[in-house]
């Protein structure tokens, strides 16, 4: 890794994104389409709902998902309950299965995690999806080494969200100036860090 040591200079807490950061997402979307061809309208509705829900903040996970599945169902034959069942029982488990089968943890992410452990730096996973523990397990990464496992929807929104990013810091008892966000999407992970005044690095730069 090029600058791992410099990257962690003055850092007491690292907040990792999961999808695209701990593993390379290339090919995952196509694999999801080929596995879920029988429910493509639901898959398309999920993507659209995700885009439409950006920058909307809810008070809780229940409220977030209530709105999310309503948006996913608008103008379709299925209702929010069907959308919810599909999301939790088909969509996320399929994504986890595809990760287990076709994707590997990025070596630079593993090195950074190891470096943090060695230095006693606190670590969190802050995902934009769910199934955090299952996906870590699918990648062969021990979830027990993190101080916090959380997704943005659990905190009421999608990334980037200032209230959610602040909650992550609060839950960790972390100060923004000594916190580093590591992600793969500057407009989500980088923006999250910027909103709370934390540092950020794109995993592709390591
Ligand atoms: Mg990502």
């Amino acid at each position: 890794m090029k600058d791992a040591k410099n990257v962690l200079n003055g850092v007491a807490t690292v907040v990792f994104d999961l999808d695209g950061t701990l593993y390379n997402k290339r090919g995952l979307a196509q694999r999801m389409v080929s596995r879920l061809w029988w429910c493509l309208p639901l898959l398309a509705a999920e993507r659209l709902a995700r885009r439409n829900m950006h920058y909307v903040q809810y008070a809780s996970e229940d409220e977030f998902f209530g709105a999310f599945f309503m948006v996913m169902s608008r103008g379709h034959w299925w209702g929010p309950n069907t959308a919810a069942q599909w999301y939790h029982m088909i969509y996320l488990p399929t994504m986890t299965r595809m990760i287990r089968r076709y994707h590997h943890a990025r070596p630079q992410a593993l090195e950074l995690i190891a470096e943090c452990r060695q230095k006693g730096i606190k670590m969190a996973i802050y995902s934009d999806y769910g199934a955090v523990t299952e996906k870590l397990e699918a990648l062969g990464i021990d979830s027990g080494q993190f101080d916090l496992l959380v997704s943005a929807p659990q905190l009421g929104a999608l990334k980037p969200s200032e209230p959610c990013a602040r909650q992550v810091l609060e839950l960790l008892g972390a100060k923004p100036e000594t916190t580093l966000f590591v992600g793969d999407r500057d407009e989500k992970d980088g923006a999250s860090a910027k909103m709370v005044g934390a540092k950020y690095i794109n995993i592709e730069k390591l």
Side-chain angles (χ1 to χ4, degrees):
M1 198 189 309
K2 268 184 280 174
D3 294 318
K5 289 200 171 72
N6 294 340
V7 155
L8 294 177
N9 274 353
V11 169
T13 308
V14 176
V15 177
F16 290 92
D17 168 53
L18 202 168
D19 298 280
T21 299
L22 298 188
Y23 69 96
N24 191 324
K25 263 181 101 173
R26 202 176 302 129
L28 181 62
Q30 294 88 320
R31 284 185 192 109
M32 291 292 282
V33 167
S34 70
R35 292 304 146 124
L36 299 179
W37 57 269
W38 55 275
C39 53
L40 280 186
L42 276 154
L43 197 60
E46 194 275 341
R47 282 193 196 161
L48 192 62
R50 207 162 255 280
R51 274 206 293 277
N52 289 338
M53 301 276 291
H54 272 166
Y55 301 105
V56 190
Q57 185 73 42
Y58 295 89
S60 67
E61 181 179 22
D62 283 353
E63 278 188 32
F64 171 84
F65 276 118
F68 186 74
F69 296 128
M70 284 287 268
V71 171
M72 253 188 85
S73 308
R74 212 178 281 152
H76 294 290
W77 61 264
W78 60 79
N81 289 343
T82 306
Q85 276 182 9
W86 173 85
Y87 183 83
H88 292 298
M89 296 171 73
I90 309 279
Y91 176 75
L92 282 181
T94 304
M95 197 172 176
T96 304
R97 246 189 341 268
M98 294 300 101
I99 293 169
R100 186 190 309 275
R101 192 152 171 199
Y102 298 105
H103 297 261
H104 303 283
R106 287 184 192 263
Q108 65 267 49
L110 294 179
E111 272 184 59
L112 195 58
I113 290 169
E115 187 88 17
C116 287
R117 280 194 69 165
Q118 201 188 323
K119 292 188 164 171
I121 292 172
K122 263 191 192 174
M123 291 189 286
I125 302 289
Y126 174 41
S127 168
D128 219 9
Y129 294 80
V132 171
T133 311
E134 293 85 347
K135 286 180 184 175
L136 288 175
E137 200 256 312
L139 289 165
I141 297 173
D142 174 17
S143 60
Q145 62 193 323
F146 296 94
D147 299 277
L148 175 70
L149 303 174
V150 74
S151 69
Q154 278 181 293
L155 303 175
L158 291 170
K159 294 180 191 174
S161 150
E162 185 180 339
C164 291
R166 287 216 182 279
Q167 281 188 72
V168 170
L169 296 189
E170 276 167 30
L171 289 167
L172 288 160
K175 290 185 188 143
E177 58 272 25
T178 55
T179 300
L180 171 72
F181 280 63
V182 181
D184 65 310
R185 293 184 68 172
D186 298 352
E187 76 281 13
K188 288 173 183 275
D189 307 306
S192 298
K194 200 172 173 190
M195 283 168 166
V196 294
K199 301 169 213 235
Y200 167 70
I201 185 137
N202 189 307
I203 192 76
E204 302 268 7
K205 296 207 171 127
L206 287 176

